Amino acid sequence: MGRKYYHRTDHDKKGMKHLFSDWKMIEKALKGKFIYLFLDYDGTLAPIADTPNKAITPNEIKDLLSKLLKISNCKIAIVSGRALSDVSKRVGLKNIVYVGNHGFEIKGPKIKFKSPVSYKYRKVLKETKTKLEKELSPFKGVFIEDKGFCMTVHYRLADENDIPAITSKFYMTTFIDEFRNNIQVRSGKMTREIRPPILWNKGMAALWLLDRQSAAMKSKKIEIFPVYIGDDLTDEDAFQVLKGKGLTIFVGKPNNTKARFYLKDTKEVAVFLTKILEILDKGTV
């Protein structure tokens, strides 16, 4: 790390660009580097589904990841808000770094990390869940996902007219004195989430992994090029800390995001991974 790998130029200051519109410049930046791929799961590798259990990794994506894992100058981390056990099972590939619960759980080759959380936080999380279940029970299409370190309220299946009341109930519940000082609340796509009150997120987890990789490769004369792809509000922390250090890519309609480029959907993510594979296969890395 240390160097700025990708710089904005005069012609790209005007706004966010589609990744492939600047492909020749990006391809040049990728060549001759050790590529560290950070990939969100839902909405990036797997299309968004009505419920978390229906989000499946397409076989094409699994095949591309498998091929990339065989190349020495490429490393992959799946960075998800899902529990680590869940996301690792859904991808199902070895030699990948799995980052669960937005960085509070990390496991991979020679890595096993779980952020310490207090008994008080676990107690408050349990109490918050009980109260939220009661407050949100009148609304159809709402369910609570308990992920151990974190807890997510999903309302994608709820009636659109109920969403303001659902989010209002959520904030009224989590903001009471006995809860608010012991939890962290974040927003996501059709979700609201509760996390430990610790300054830790996907971005910090990515930097931590990059530092480990840099230390492991300190004797090698090759630059590490981080590429982060995500589609959710929770990925903005990573886009922010990696700004100017690599390639940041938002998946979806390019609205208000800190990412430098965008891809339209998971199909275009697959195209991009194919292009990465082609660069690496040519022996230019």
Side-chain angles (χ1 to χ4, degrees), residues 20-243:
F20 299 144
S21 68
D22 267 352
W23 182 247
K24 286 187 178 179
M25 181 175 61
I26 292 168
E27 184 179 32
K28 184 179 178 181
L30 290 167
K31 287 180 178 179
K33 307 294 196 308
F34 180 101
I35 300 175
Y36 205 136
L37 285 169
F38 296 92
L39 307 168
D40 180 32
Y41 183 77
D42 295 274
T44 299
L45 295 181
I48 291 290
D50 288 341
T51 57
N53 63 310
K54 292 181 180 178
I56 306 298
T57 314
N59 289 331
E60 179 189 10
I61 293 285
K62 279 192 177 184
D63 183 56
L64 285 167
L65 295 178
S66 296
K67 290 176 179 177
L68 286 165
L69 286 168
K70 294 176 183 177
I71 299 174
S72 60
N73 285 329
C74 181
K75 193 160 188 174
I76 301 172
I78 308 298
V79 187
S80 176
R82 289 175 178 266
L84 188 145
S85 58
D86 184 13
V87 69
S88 60
K89 183 178 179 180
R90 288 181 180 278
V91 177
L93 296 174
K94 296 180 179 179
N95 298 320
I96 281 184
V97 177
Y98 290 102
V99 180
N101 274 310
H102 308 285
F104 287 98
E105 300 177 283
I106 305 175
K107 187 176 181 180
K110 299 180 181 179
I111 300 174
K112 191 173 183 181
F113 167 81
K114 282 191 177 183
S115 177
V117 293
S118 67
Y119 169 77
K120 186 174 183 179
Y121 168 75
R122 292 186 183 277
K123 183 174 180 289
V124 168
L125 190 67
K126 185 177 179 181
E127 292 171 353
T128 309
K129 181 182 178 183
T130 300
K131 191 165 181 62
L132 281 171
E133 286 175 336
K134 180 182 178 182
E135 294 293 327
L136 298 175
S137 61
F139 303 101
K140 293 182 179 180
V142 178
F143 67 95
I144 297 173
E145 182 186 10
D146 189 339
K147 300 179 291 187
F149 283 87
C150 306
M151 184 169 66
T152 304
V153 174
H154 297 265
Y155 51 87
R156 185 177 299 278
L157 298 178
D159 188 304
E160 187 175 346
N161 294 324
D162 288 337
I163 291 177
I166 292 167
T167 55
S168 177
K169 288 282 186 182
F170 173 84
Y171 286 116
M172 286 176 65
T173 300
T174 57
F175 199 68
I176 62 176
D177 289 341
E178 60 186 291
F179 294 158
R180 65 180 177 180
N181 294 324
N182 298 294
I183 60 174
Q184 178 186 175
V185 172
R186 296 292 296 270
S187 299
K189 282 187 175 180
M190 304 302 284
T191 63
R192 291 295 185 272
E193 186 160 72
I194 296 171
R195 303 185 197 174
I198 301 169
L199 188 57
W200 190 253
N201 52 48
K202 287 183 175 182
M204 291 184 173
L207 290 179
W208 184 75
L209 288 170
L210 285 169
D211 283 343
R212 284 181 62 95
Q213 193 65 35
S214 295
M217 294 173 56
K218 61 183 178 181
S219 62
K220 296 183 180 181
K221 296 179 179 180
I222 185 169
E223 295 178 2
I224 300 172
F225 192 103
V227 177
Y228 192 104
I229 312 178
D231 78 305
D232 206 346
L233 291 170
T234 59
D235 297 303
E236 294 299 320
D237 295 316
F239 295 151
Q240 177 67 36
V241 299
L242 293 175
K243 185 177 180 180

